[in-house]
Amino acid sequence: MTGPELRGIRAFVVAFARRQAARTVELPGGFAVLDDAYAHSHGNNHVVVDGVTDPEALPALADDALGHLAHRAVTVLDDATGTACAGPMVRAGYSHSAELVMLHTGPVPDGGPAEEVDLDAFREPLARRWRGFLPEAGEDVVRQLVDRREIRHRGADVVRFIGARTPEGDVASWADLYMDRASGTAQVEDLITAEAHLGHGYADAVLSTALRQAVDAGCATRFLVADADDWPRHWYGRRGFTVVGRFHSFGRG
């Protein structure tokens, strides 16, 4: 049941990465996406493996593609291939984590009290969250991690930032919504809540609004990607998301 949907999700992820990139470099079994304006961002400078690759050769391929950067980041979209690459990559000094591809299979919410916002509406709370996530990062790193969100508009035909506001009008929680109406695919990405507003239902409002907008746009395939070892996967599971596959992420530096 989920095989075709998972293939469609992988195709969506690949297309988004290629469209968002400032430039790409083709590699055996995949490609590298690069953007010098956001050199600190692993999400904008990494290798994507979406085909057949030699696991033993992957560390050298990543070095060749990303050698001008202080970090290495590799995403493998096929579960079996990612599992095969884990040994060589870990021996080469990489950390390894699994990411769960979660498909929304539950009831579609009526919507929530959230709305489309622009980046400036949550720029400051987003920067504060990044400072909390990465306390040793410099301000240039934080700036790039915030500003990179703007170029996500290149990644899909429809890209929206969905935000839930406090009674005072501040954006308390936010997420990205990417949609491709032609394939009927939508992704919810980077759902974050400002620390002062955790536990007050703002993330629920954002997720419900994003799912309703995706359905209204004709997107029958609605998915997100969650860390296999972190608590949000269970939160999403209670809101109608089911695991249908795994990606593998490798990082160094």
Side-chain angles (χ1 to χ4, degrees):
M1 181 181 69
T2 58
E5 289 164 327
L6 184 56
R7 288 193 293 272
I9 288 169
R10 288 174 182 157
F12 181 93
V13 170
V14 167
F16 190 98
R18 286 184 175 276
R19 289 178 57 165
Q20 181 185 226
R23 67 184 192 280
T24 60
V25 177
E26 300 305 315
L27 303 170
F31 57 96
V33 295
L34 300 165
D35 195 326
D36 294 338
Y38 303 96
H40 293 300
S41 169
H42 296 197
N44 295 87
N45 298 272
H46 68 285
V47 170
V48 178
V49 176
D50 63 336
V52 177
T53 193
D54 178 359
E56 296 292 342
L58 187 55
L61 285 178
D63 281 345
D64 289 343
L66 307 175
H68 61 294
L69 298 166
H71 72 267
R72 303 286 185 272
V74 179
T75 302
V76 181
L77 300 183
D78 177 73
D79 189 12
T81 302
T83 299
C85 291
M89 294 295 280
V90 169
R91 288 194 295 273
Y94 283 78
S95 62
H96 172 219
S97 60
E99 297 177 306
L100 303 179
V101 182
M102 303 187 73
L103 181 70
H104 187 249
T105 57
V108 177
D110 294 333
E115 62 189 14
E116 185 174 1
V117 297
D118 60 29
L119 178 59
D120 285 341
F122 61 98
R123 184 184 297 275
E124 284 305 316
L126 177 57
R128 286 195 296 271
R129 285 302 265 160
W130 273 118
R131 292 185 190 106
F133 295 147
L134 302 173
E136 297 180 1
E139 282 303 303
D140 190 47
V141 174
V142 172
R143 179 188 60 78
Q144 288 190 23
L145 293 175
V146 172
D147 290 350
R148 68 177 182 173
R149 210 148 183 153
E150 194 64 71
I151 66 165
R152 291 179 181 175
H153 287 287
R154 301 194 303 231
D157 291 337
V158 179
V159 174
R160 297 173 184 166
F161 303 141
I162 308 298
R165 295 183 183 272
T166 67
E168 294 74 28
D170 298 324
V171 176
S173 185
W174 54 88
D176 297 358
L177 173 63
Y178 314 140
M179 295 187 287
D180 175 32
R181 291 191 176 101
S183 67
T185 305
Q187 179 182 7
V188 179
E189 175 69 3
D190 274 357
L191 175 54
I192 301 174
T193 300
E195 194 166 20
H197 301 296
L198 292 169
H200 295 286
Y202 290 111
D204 264 315
V206 170
L207 184 61
S208 297
T209 300
L211 289 172
R212 170 46 59 185
Q213 291 192 10
V215 170
D216 290 346
C219 295
T221 299
R222 302 173 297 278
F223 78 98
L224 53 80
V225 180
D227 191 322
D229 297 322
D230 208 354
W231 66 264
R233 61 167 295 193
H234 304 293
W235 189 87
Y236 292 124
R238 294 191 296 272
R239 285 153 181 81
F241 284 85
T242 302
V243 177
V244 296
R246 292 199 310 173
F247 298 159
H248 291 259
S249 293
F250 301 95
R252 194 179 75 195

